[in-house]
Amino acid sequence: MSELDFSRFRTATAVDVHAFSADKMRVLWLAGLEWPGEQGLEGHSDADVAAHALADALLMASGNGDLGTVFGVDKPQWAGAAGATLVTEAVRLVCESGFRVANASVQIIGQKPRFLPRKIQAEECLSALVGAPVAVSATTTDRLGFTGNEEGLAAIATVLLYAE
């Protein structure tokens, strides 16, 4: 067996956090999916914490900056953008930089919404966006902190890229 050339691999971990919106008409987007009947998150774009953390990790691993430098609030063209659009653009930049996505994982942190019934759908959605397997899970903080107090959601994403 030949030795792996580890210089061909890149990894990054990113976190995204958003507070629940006071606007009862704001839609919740999470892991690229619309969650009807759930309280939406406040943000410059759709505030999809799972998609944002994933896009951020993709950008960082490929050396393309981070979520704030590429899609920041100082860039009006991204106002209201779907998290799926940000992930798609991040993947385009990854590929343009000579990398491909090997796999990714995203963990959503919060008390609500109940994630398990849509886990497979979320994994299929995010996997289709990145063109590689994306494992998605959710956890609570046992009612500790702002996520435990149902004030918002957080997500952590890790990606593995490889050079072609």
Side-chain angles (χ1 to χ4, degrees):
M1 175 181 227
S2 64
E3 288 204 27
L4 281 175
D5 178 5
F6 289 106
S7 67
R8 295 183 58 228
F9 297 92
R10 297 257 184 102
T11 187
T13 299
V15 174
D16 194 62
V17 178
H18 286 274
F20 284 115
S21 177
D23 179 357
K24 299 300 180 192
M25 299 304 292
R26 184 135 170 131
V27 174
L28 177 63
W29 286 92
L30 187 60
L33 305 174
E34 183 178 357
W35 294 71
E38 296 288 345
Q39 186 176 2
L41 296 166
E42 195 60 48
H44 176 62
S45 63
D46 68 356
D48 180 337
V49 293
H52 290 189
L54 180 57
D56 200 9
L58 289 164
L59 293 168
M60 290 189 309
S62 63
N64 281 293
D66 60 24
L67 201 69
T69 58
V70 177
F71 305 114
V73 296
D74 61 330
K75 297 184 170 53
Q77 68 270 32
W78 298 109
T85 301
L86 304 184
V87 171
T88 300
E89 177 64 8
V91 170
R92 186 189 70 74
L93 293 169
V94 164
C95 294
E96 195 174 87
S97 299
F99 293 97
R100 294 292 177 262
V101 181
N103 63 28
S105 67
V106 178
Q107 184 171 57
I108 300 161
I109 305 164
Q111 295 296 131
K112 61 179 185 178
R114 181 123 172 86
F115 181 73
L116 188 58
R118 299 193 71 191
K119 174 184 171 52
I120 292 171
Q121 190 180 7
E123 289 179 335
E124 289 171 348
C125 177
L126 294 179
S127 296
L129 291 172
V130 302
V134 178
V136 185
S137 66
T139 191
T140 69
T141 56
D142 290 329
R143 301 226 171 260
L144 296 173
F146 87 97
T147 60
N149 290 327
E150 298 184 10
E151 296 171 22
L153 294 174
I156 302 170
T158 301
V159 301
L160 176 63
L161 306 182
Y162 63 94
E164 293 192 284

